[in-house]
């Protein structure tokens, strides 16, 4: 499947939040919490306006997106969100978004990307070269703190 990656547009915030919601509701163990706290599904407009949110599109629709927050003083950027439409999982969209995030981080002078990953995504992130840095508490249970070096 052909995928183009570009900056998100502010007019797409509802579409992006819909992708995030549907991708997040796939996992039964998080469903009740997410439904009880719909406010956690959020793609901040300021992140879109700052060029931090990148969208993977197919021929007619948004297939997924990633949000890479700017680098900190220690040279690390934060992969704040990576969501793929559940109907398009396992088609290389997540990989393309991570590759794009690495290129974006490199262009911004960042040395590494850090992420708090859903434990269900461990295999994906390991395949993408991320290293396990331990467990972090999140609103919905344990998250895996991981990083990948940009170079």
């Amino acid at each position: 499947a052909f995928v183009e990656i570009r900056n998100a547009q502010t007019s797409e915030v509802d579409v992006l939040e819909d992708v995030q919601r549907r991708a997040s509701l796939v996992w039964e163990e998080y469903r009740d919490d997410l439904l009880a706290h719909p406010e956690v599904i959020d793609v901040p407009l300021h992140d879109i306006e700052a060029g931090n949110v990148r969208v993977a599109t197919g021929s007619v629709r948004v297939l997924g997106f990633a949000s890479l927050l700017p680098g900190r003083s220690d040279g690390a950027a934060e992969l704040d969100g990576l969501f793929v439409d559940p109907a398009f999982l396992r088609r290389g969209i997540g990989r393309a978004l991570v590759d794009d995030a690495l290129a974006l981080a490199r262009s911004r002078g960042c040395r590494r990307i850090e992420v708090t990953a859903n434990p269900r995504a461990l295999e994906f992130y390991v395949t993408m070269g991320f290293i396990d840095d331990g467990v972090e508490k999140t609103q919905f249970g344990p998250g895996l703190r991981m990083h990948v070096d940009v170079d």
Side-chain angles (χ1 to χ4, degrees):
F2 173 75
V3 174
E4 177 190 347
I5 299 182
R6 58 167 172 75
N7 281 335
Q9 300 164 5
T10 55
S11 62
E12 295 175 306
V13 70
D14 291 341
V15 172
L16 300 179
E17 289 177 352
D18 181 60
V19 169
Q20 182 179 353
R21 182 177 301 102
R22 288 184 293 111
S24 299
L25 290 173
V26 165
W27 308 114
E28 192 174 330
E29 63 266 35
Y30 304 112
R31 200 170 291 145
D32 290 343
D33 285 333
L34 285 167
L35 293 172
H37 297 281
E39 72 279 2
V40 302
I41 303 295
D42 179 45
V43 181
L45 279 175
H46 62 85
D47 285 337
I48 295 174
E49 291 164 348
N52 296 332
V53 180
R54 302 280 286 167
V55 174
T57 60
S59 57
V60 295
R61 62 187 278 192
V62 170
L63 305 177
F65 72 95
S67 181
L68 184 74
L69 302 185
R72 302 186 311 248
S73 60
D74 65 358
E78 183 74 20
L79 185 59
D80 190 50
L82 175 65
F83 298 95
V84 175
D85 184 317
F88 293 90
L89 290 174
R90 306 195 74 73
R91 297 191 192 182
I93 296 162
R95 173 179 292 280
L97 285 164
V98 169
D99 288 343
D100 180 76
L102 285 164
L104 184 59
R106 194 174 296 112
S107 75
R108 292 175 172 179
C110 297
R111 293 193 325 266
R112 67 195 240 161
I113 294 175
E114 297 180 357
V115 66
T116 301
N118 179 323
R120 293 259 194 170
L122 174 64
E123 184 179 336
F124 167 76
Y125 282 108
V126 168
T127 299
M128 293 304 302
F130 281 75
I131 297 166
D132 187 347
D133 291 326
V135 176
E136 180 175 285
K137 283 187 174 185
T138 74
Q139 184 174 354
F140 302 118
L144 302 176
R145 198 67 187 150
M146 305 183 81
H147 80 273
V148 64
D149 291 329
V150 170
D151 289 324

